[in-house]
Amino acid sequence: MDTATAPQRRVPRPRADAVRNRERIVTAAREMFVEFGPDVPLDEIARRAGVGNATVYRHFADRDALVRQVVLSVTDRVAAHAERGIAAADTGESTAFEALRTFVHAAADERIGALCPMLSAAFDPHHPDLTEGRERLEESIEGLMERARRAGELRADIAVGDLMVALSQLGRPLPGTACPDMDRFIHRHLQLFLDGLMAPARSELPGAAATLEALRQH
Amino acid sequence: MDTATAPQRRVPRPRADAVRNRERIVTAAREMFVEFGPDVPLDEIARRAGVGNATVYRHFADRDALVRQVVLSVTDRVAAHAERGIAAADTGESTAFEALRTFVHAAADERIGALCPMLSAAFDPHHPDLTEGRERLEESIEGLMERARRAGELRADIAVGDLMVALSQLGRPLPGTACPDMDRFIHRHLQLFLDGLMAPARSELPGAAATLEALRQH
Amino acid sequence: MDTATAPQRRVPRPRADAVRNRERIVTAAREMFVEFGPDVPLDEIARRAGVGNATVYRHFADRDALVRQVVLSVTDRVAAHAERGIAAADTGESTAFEALRTFVHAAADERIGALCPMLSAAFDPHHPDLTEGRERLEESIEGLMERARRAGELRADIAVGDLMVALSQLGRPLPGTACPDMDRFIHRHLQLFLDGLMAPARSELPGAAATLEALRQH
Amino acid sequence: MDTATAPQRRVPRPRADAVRNRERIVTAAREMFVEFGPDVPLDEIARRAGVGNATVYRHFADRDALVRQVVLSVTDRVAAHAERGIAAADTGESTAFEALRTFVHAAADERIGALCPMLSAAFDPHHPDLTEGRERLEESIEGLMERARRAGELRADIAVGDLMVALSQLGRPLPGTACPDMDRFIHRHLQLFLDGLMAPARSELPGAAATLEALRQH
DNA sequence: AATGAATGAGGGTTCATTCAT
DNA sequence: AATGAATGAACCCTCATTCAT
């Protein structure tokens, strides 16, 4: 048994400035990924965060570790939106589908789509650091969809993966574009997609519903 | 008097092997952009094409010139699909919306979405080499949509840019994914989006219709 | 409030080793330009300086920036010689023409001629970084010549540009030569040229005196 | 005994167009070396000559072989000038020193100095192809100088190498310059140098006279 | 014989990562 | 703990040279 699993680890409390630096790095990284795409140099992220480049490596072993942290941070924020939607549906504050619509637009505003470009070929989406967050996100979205499905507002032939993928794809910026008013288009297209999700189904879908298992297989 | 000093340079028909190489390079580039994203090294493209790296530069002045050729090649193929759709609608072979559906799925199979990742920040989408092809594409898609609109099958609050952007976004591979069966998802999500495009509209869309002018502004 | 966000960036004194590296790079570059000509690979310069290639780029944005620094460094040293010559003439330590002779030979020993080959076609001799140094050099040489001219020792039909060009040309190594005893020839030929500069003039010169304006026009 | 030394070699007469191409290549190379410096790509030379790049290699085994041919061609032309000068001196058409002056300026107009930059570090000035031409050149210049020396017009402490080196150095273009009116400066500075060569000597020269042996040693 | 095309080695430059202060 | 500096591997691109028509 090593220290990592020991019940009482000696964790010297992190210094306040170290914590602040870590947060600033993640925030800067998220902003710059959104703004400049996945290839932004780490040195630039460090500069935006106001720290030296080596400080980034003190907090994150390598580029992927930083990316994971950013993914996790966005995942958490989006999951919170989904959970809020569930609450709204359960309290009757809005219909389940309305809650779903609200959630989708909110997730887009969190730049969930901007995360995708970060995921370089080398990125491992199944990394342990991410599972907890992803499960929380999936469960909450699933809960939201299930309520809409039960209410007969959501077509029955789609699964949570369908929504997640489309949300990511439609929500990400057009490449080669720093186009800030792309937002308008994003919300239009999400709205159209949501219309396509409504029951009754207007067409037969090819393939099988994108469950989470299906997404994980690749 | 000899040909070398003659005012008009003799333009000897291009050699067969050079033409073959050029095509192989473009094909390899298209495949590798789809498969590995926009940052794939030119050396790898050359290897896949079975030529030396410098041969790529003989045919294309720099990376952007190659990218433009790939974009042009896909643009042409997709425009051909759209024109075929127009013909089908005009002959009554299918309804206009059915022709639109067929076109959208065919365009996805041509990997139109894979073009997006190629468009790095440095890429100039307004390059003269591209205008003709883009206009042909836009006109044909517009023609197809106009027929569906007139038939009352397509909601009236969208424009050609809306379809093109969504088609590109939904049609491109999830980043960090070599996932070959992503195709199934792509067609599902396009189908859902198309359902959202049908008249009557099921919701009010935010923003203004994405005309081509709007797309060009960024 | 922390230093990172403070308006005035703290400029911590440059690290000792960085300064040392910078100087070593410039020195190595000067030596290798003299020895191997203008096309010497930067990697070789880095090797001679005992640093990695990228370190060169940390200190100098690109090849031209390094070349400029070398030019500046030689310019300064040569200007110092000219100023010393002026002082010698003014104190009567030597005649003005003797001071001029001494200066010319000293400038050759500083390898002023070796600078020329560095000036590739891409090099911009009017770069702001260089103006101050060049003006100092020109003024000091002009001062030296003026004294010799007034003393009636220097022929009247030449200007400062004539001397500078000839000094550069005669002082540079024969190309394709690592010939170390070329120095002997250089000083012989400069001496002959100086003899030609003495008053009274032995021939009529074609063209107009090479003033600095004339040199800058090209 | 092989064909090379056989008394009667089978030399299929060169085709007329091949001879013409060879000459055009050498001419183009000389012009472009003068105009653009030593690094001009062979492809550009081929283009200027109006032939394909491979044709250059049919005539010249590699870049150095072409350079040698250009050197030889200029050498011949300059030697012819020197021989004409000797004749002028011998017939009393002009004084020996006047003939020397005329020769020096003519040699500069033949761009003898422009050859220098071609001589990259790899270039071998002692190649057998060049010896005959160089000897002819040296002998003719030596003859011209000897006549001026005997006439008491040329100082006694210089040798043929001194003149050749200075002529090459002063006659070559300032680097980084396509400056066409550099010619004016060139002739001024050669004139000054010639003044320095006149007897009586105005100073004592350092080192030993640059004989041809001295030049060959390096 | 001449050509257009192909090649591969090499240079400049960038950037993720490691080192020394 | 934090930093500026250093590193080397990898990429894009050029060009002398060779190959195939």
Side-chain angles (χ1 to χ4, degrees):
Chain A
M1 180 184 291
D2 65 350
T3 61
T5 58
Q8 301 280 351
R9 288 185 265 167
R10 272 290 285 140
V11 178
R13 58 172 173 65
R15 274 170 29 173
D17 59 344
V19 171
R20 196 173 54 240
N21 273 346
R22 190 183 168 91
E23 280 166 7
R24 291 214 292 195
I25 292 166
V26 173
T27 299
R30 187 175 57 230
E31 290 171 358
M32 298 196 80
F33 281 134
V34 169
E35 203 166 338
F36 301 106
D39 296 331
V40 63
L42 281 198
D43 279 22
E44 299 296 323
I45 293 175
R47 177 197 309 276
R48 161 95 63 124
V51 303
N53 58 356
T55 302
V56 175
Y57 284 92
R58 172 165 300 279
H59 289 287
F60 305 98
D62 55 16
R63 180 179 245 268
D64 280 352
L66 173 57
V67 168
R68 275 198 301 277
Q69 196 55 44
V70 172
V71 169
L72 198 50
S73 132
V74 175
T75 298
D76 279 349
R77 295 158 75 133
V78 174
H81 281 292
E83 285 158 1
R84 243 168 277 142
I86 289 178
D90 286 348
T91 61
E93 193 182 315
S94 64
T95 71
F97 200 88
E98 276 163 3
L100 186 63
R101 276 197 196 268
T102 302
F103 159 72
V104 163
H105 289 288
D109 286 336
E110 292 290 353
R111 305 291 180 191
I112 189 176
L115 295 186
C116 282
M118 296 187 323
L119 314 180
S120 73
F123 183 78
D124 171 20
H126 304 325
H127 191 280
D129 288 358
L130 301 177
T131 47
E132 186 185 5
R134 192 178 50 234
E135 282 168 9
R136 179 184 165 209
L137 176 61
E138 290 166 352
E139 280 164 22
S140 55
I141 300 185
E142 175 57 47
L144 200 45
M145 291 176 74
E146 179 57 23
R147 280 159 180 78
R149 209 179 281 119
R150 286 214 200 112
E153 298 164 333
L154 180 67
R155 57 196 291 173
D157 52 358
I158 66 162
V160 62
D162 290 308
L163 178 56
M164 289 179 69
V165 169
L167 179 51
S168 298
Q169 298 283 64
L170 289 174
R172 59 169 150 155
L174 277 174
T177 303
C179 179
D181 56 345
M182 184 50 59
D183 277 13
R184 232 185 333 161
F185 298 134
I186 287 175
H187 289 292
R188 283 178 68 80
H189 302 147
L190 288 172
Q191 191 76 326
L192 287 164
F193 188 80
L194 285 162
D195 285 352
L197 290 185
M198 289 178 76
R202 284 168 156 178
S203 74
E204 191 175 350
L205 295 183
T211 62
L212 297 171
E213 288 72 30
L215 277 185
R216 297 224 178 89
Q217 268 163 3
H218 74 85
Chain B
M1 175 190 297
D2 61 18
T3 60
T5 58
Q8 68 280 22
R9 317 283 238 107
R10 200 161 55 85
V11 179
R13 57 173 172 61
R15 270 210 253 157
D17 60 343
V19 171
R20 199 171 49 242
N21 273 343
R22 192 184 166 90
E23 281 166 5
R24 291 211 292 196
I25 291 166
V26 173
T27 300
R30 188 175 56 229
E31 290 170 359
M32 298 195 79
F33 281 134
V34 169
E35 205 165 335
F36 301 106
D39 297 330
V40 63
L42 284 199
D43 281 20
E44 299 296 324
I45 293 176
R47 178 198 307 278
R48 160 95 64 122
V51 302
N53 59 355
T55 300
V56 175
Y57 288 94
R58 165 170 293 274
H59 289 285
F60 306 97
D62 54 17
R63 180 179 249 271
D64 280 352
L66 173 57
V67 169
R68 276 198 300 278
Q69 194 56 46
V70 173
V71 169
L72 198 49
S73 130
V74 175
T75 298
D76 278 349
R77 295 159 74 134
V78 173
H81 282 293
E83 286 159 0
R84 242 168 277 143
I86 289 179
D90 285 348
T91 61
E93 194 181 313
S94 64
T95 72
F97 200 87
E98 278 164 2
L100 187 63
R101 277 198 196 267
T102 302
F103 159 73
V104 164
H105 289 288
D109 285 337
E110 293 290 353
R111 305 289 180 193
I112 190 179
L115 296 187
C116 281
M118 294 185 325
L119 314 181
S120 73
F123 183 79
D124 171 19
H126 303 326
H127 191 281
D129 289 359
L130 300 177
T131 47
E132 188 186 2
R134 191 178 50 235
E135 282 167 9
R136 180 185 164 207
L137 177 60
E138 290 166 352
E139 280 165 21
S140 54
I141 300 184
E142 176 58 49
L144 201 46
M145 291 176 74
E146 179 57 22
R147 281 159 179 78
R149 211 180 279 121
R150 286 214 199 112
E153 299 163 334
L154 180 66
R155 57 196 290 173
D157 52 358
I158 66 162
V160 62
D162 290 309
L163 179 56
M164 288 179 70
V165 169
L167 181 50
S168 298
Q169 298 282 63
L170 289 174
R172 59 169 151 157
L174 277 174
T177 302
C179 180
D181 55 346
M182 183 51 58
D183 276 12
R184 235 184 330 160
F185 298 132
I186 287 176
H187 289 292
R188 284 177 67 79
H189 303 147
L190 287 172
Q191 190 77 326
L192 287 164
F193 188 80
L194 284 162
D195 284 352
L197 291 184
M198 289 178 76
R202 284 169 156 177
S203 73
E204 193 175 349
L205 295 182
T211 63
L212 296 171
E213 288 72 33
L215 279 186
R216 298 229 175 84
Q217 268 163 3
H218 76 84
Chain C
M1 176 189 297
D2 61 18
T3 62
T5 58
Q8 68 278 21
R9 318 282 239 107
R10 198 162 55 85
V11 179
R13 57 171 172 64
R15 268 211 253 159
D17 59 345
V19 171
R20 199 171 49 241
N21 273 343
R22 192 184 166 90
E23 280 166 7
R24 292 212 291 196
I25 291 167
V26 173
T27 300
R30 187 175 57 229
E31 290 171 359
M32 297 195 80
F33 281 134
V34 169
E35 204 165 336
F36 301 107
D39 296 331
V40 63
L42 283 198
D43 280 21
E44 299 298 323
I45 293 175
R47 178 197 308 276
R48 162 96 61 123
V51 302
N53 58 356
T55 300
V56 175
Y57 286 94
R58 165 170 294 275
H59 289 285
F60 306 97
D62 54 18
R63 179 177 248 272
D64 280 352
L66 174 57
V67 169
R68 275 198 301 276
Q69 195 55 46
V70 172
V71 169
L72 198 50
S73 130
V74 175
T75 298
D76 278 349
R77 297 158 74 133
V78 173
H81 282 293
E83 286 159 0
R84 242 168 279 144
I86 290 178
D90 286 347
T91 60
E93 192 182 316
S94 64
T95 72
F97 200 88
E98 277 164 3
L100 187 62
R101 278 200 196 267
T102 301
F103 159 72
V104 164
H105 289 288
D109 285 337
E110 292 290 354
R111 305 291 180 194
I112 190 178
L115 295 187
C116 282
M118 294 186 325
L119 314 181
S120 73
F123 183 79
D124 171 19
H126 303 325
H127 191 280
D129 288 359
L130 301 176
T131 48
E132 188 186 3
R134 191 179 50 235
E135 282 168 9
R136 180 185 165 207
L137 177 60
E138 291 167 351
E139 280 165 23
S140 55
I141 299 185
E142 175 59 49
L144 201 45
M145 291 176 73
E146 179 57 24
R147 281 160 178 77
R149 209 181 280 121
R150 286 214 199 113
E153 300 162 334
L154 179 67
R155 56 195 290 173
D157 53 357
I158 67 161
V160 61
D162 290 309
L163 179 56
M164 289 180 69
V165 169
L167 180 51
S168 297
Q169 298 283 64
L170 289 174
R172 60 170 151 155
L174 277 175
T177 303
C179 179
D181 56 345
M182 184 51 59
D183 276 13
R184 231 185 333 159
F185 296 133
I186 288 176
H187 289 293
R188 284 178 67 80
H189 303 147
L190 288 172
Q191 190 77 324
L192 287 165
F193 188 81
L194 285 162
D195 285 351
L197 290 185
M198 289 179 75
R202 284 169 157 179
S203 74
E204 191 173 353
L205 295 183
T211 62
L212 296 171
E213 288 72 31
L215 279 186
R216 298 228 175 85
Q217 269 163 1
H218 78 86
Chain D
M1 181 186 290
D2 64 351
T3 61
T5 58
Q8 301 278 350
R9 287 186 264 168
R10 272 289 285 139
V11 179
R13 59 171 172 67
R15 274 168 30 171
D17 60 343
V19 171
R20 197 174 52 239
N21 274 344
R22 191 182 167 89
E23 282 166 6
R24 293 214 289 197
I25 291 166
V26 173
T27 300
R30 187 175 57 229
E31 290 171 358
M32 297 195 78
F33 281 134
V34 169
E35 203 164 338
F36 302 106
D39 295 332
V40 63
L42 281 199
D43 279 21
E44 299 297 324
I45 293 175
R47 178 197 308 276
R48 160 97 61 125
V51 302
N53 58 355
T55 301
V56 175
Y57 284 93
R58 171 164 299 278
H59 289 286
F60 305 98
D62 55 17
R63 181 181 244 270
D64 280 352
L66 173 58
V67 169
R68 276 197 301 276
Q69 195 55 45
V70 172
V71 169
L72 198 50
S73 134
V74 175
T75 299
D76 279 349
R77 297 159 73 131
V78 173
H81 281 292
E83 286 159 0
R84 242 169 280 143
I86 290 178
D90 286 347
T91 62
E93 193 181 315
S94 64
T95 72
F97 200 87
E98 277 164 2
L100 187 62
R101 278 199 195 266
T102 302
F103 158 73
V104 163
H105 288 289
D109 285 336
E110 292 289 353
R111 305 292 181 191
I112 190 177
L115 296 187
C116 282
M118 294 187 324
L119 314 180
S120 73
F123 183 79
D124 171 20
H126 304 324
H127 191 278
D129 288 358
L130 300 177
T131 48
E132 187 185 2
R134 191 178 50 235
E135 282 168 9
R136 179 186 165 207
L137 177 61
E138 290 166 351
E139 281 166 22
S140 55
I141 300 185
E142 176 57 47
L144 200 46
M145 291 176 73
E146 180 56 23
R147 280 159 180 77
R149 210 180 280 120
R150 286 213 200 113
E153 300 164 331
L154 180 67
R155 57 196 289 173
D157 52 358
I158 66 162
V160 62
D162 290 310
L163 179 56
M164 289 180 69
V165 169
L167 180 52
S168 297
Q169 298 283 63
L170 289 174
R172 60 169 149 157
L174 277 174
T177 303
C179 180
D181 57 344
M182 184 51 58
D183 276 13
R184 235 185 331 160
F185 297 134
I186 287 177
H187 289 291
R188 283 177 69 78
H189 302 148
L190 287 172
Q191 190 77 325
L192 287 165
F193 188 81
L194 284 163
D195 284 353
L197 291 185
M198 289 179 76
R202 285 170 156 177
S203 74
E204 191 174 351
L205 296 183
T211 62
L212 296 172
E213 288 72 31
L215 277 187
R216 298 228 176 85
Q217 268 163 4
H218 72 83

